[in-house]
């Protein structure tokens, strides 16, 4: 019973967080683009990297009940777990430099000017 609840909550939270991350990344509408006006680069990193990273990790927790039974899910977990951890800790928490391609095209100029990323403006 507990594993069913964990799976449902993990899957639901993962889908919700990945949907929110996709909505904000696409930036269709004023509310979806509000994260660009964040007062610090940590807010931008949270939207771009931490939110989808936690979504991927939550999704993997939700799928954990079936990973041992379905080999394809095991392989998927082997690929997605390091990706989720890198998004959350590498580019999110440790604030390692992130590449220009990881930022949506519509937000690059604004982020480059606000956080002094002159190489992005070329």
């Amino acid at each position: 019973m507990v594993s069913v609840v964990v799976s449902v909550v993990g899957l639901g939270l993962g889908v919700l967080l990945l949907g929110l991350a996709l909505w904000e990344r696409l930036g269709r509408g004023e509310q979806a683009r509000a994260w660009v006006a964040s007062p610090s680069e940590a807010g931008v990193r949270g939207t771009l990297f931490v939110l989808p990273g936690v979504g991927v990790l939550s999704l993997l927790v939700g799928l954990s009940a079936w990973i041992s039974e379905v080999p394809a899910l095991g392989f998927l977990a082997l690929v997605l777990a390091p990706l989720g951890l890198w998004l959350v800790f590498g580019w999110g928490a440790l604030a390692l430099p992130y590449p220009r391609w990881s930022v949506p095209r519509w937000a690059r100029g604004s982020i480059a000017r606000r956080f002094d990323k002159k190489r992005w403006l070329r």
Side-chain angles (χ1 to χ4, degrees), residues 14-79:
V15 168
L16 180 71
L17 291 175
L18 288 174
L20 179 62
L22 180 65
W23 177 71
E24 288 180 332
R25 183 171 280 279
L26 291 176
R28 295 184 183 144
E30 188 177 321
Q31 290 180 329
R33 293 177 180 233
W35 61 271
V36 177
S38 177
S40 68
E41 193 173 6
V44 171
R45 286 178 183 273
T47 299
L48 290 177
F49 307 116
V50 176
L51 189 65
V54 171
V56 166
L57 294 174
S58 296
L59 204 60
L60 289 175
V61 167
L63 293 173
S64 65
W66 300 285
I67 286 177
S68 63
E69 298 171 9
V70 182
L73 285 178
F75 180 73
L76 184 69
L78 190 64
V79 172

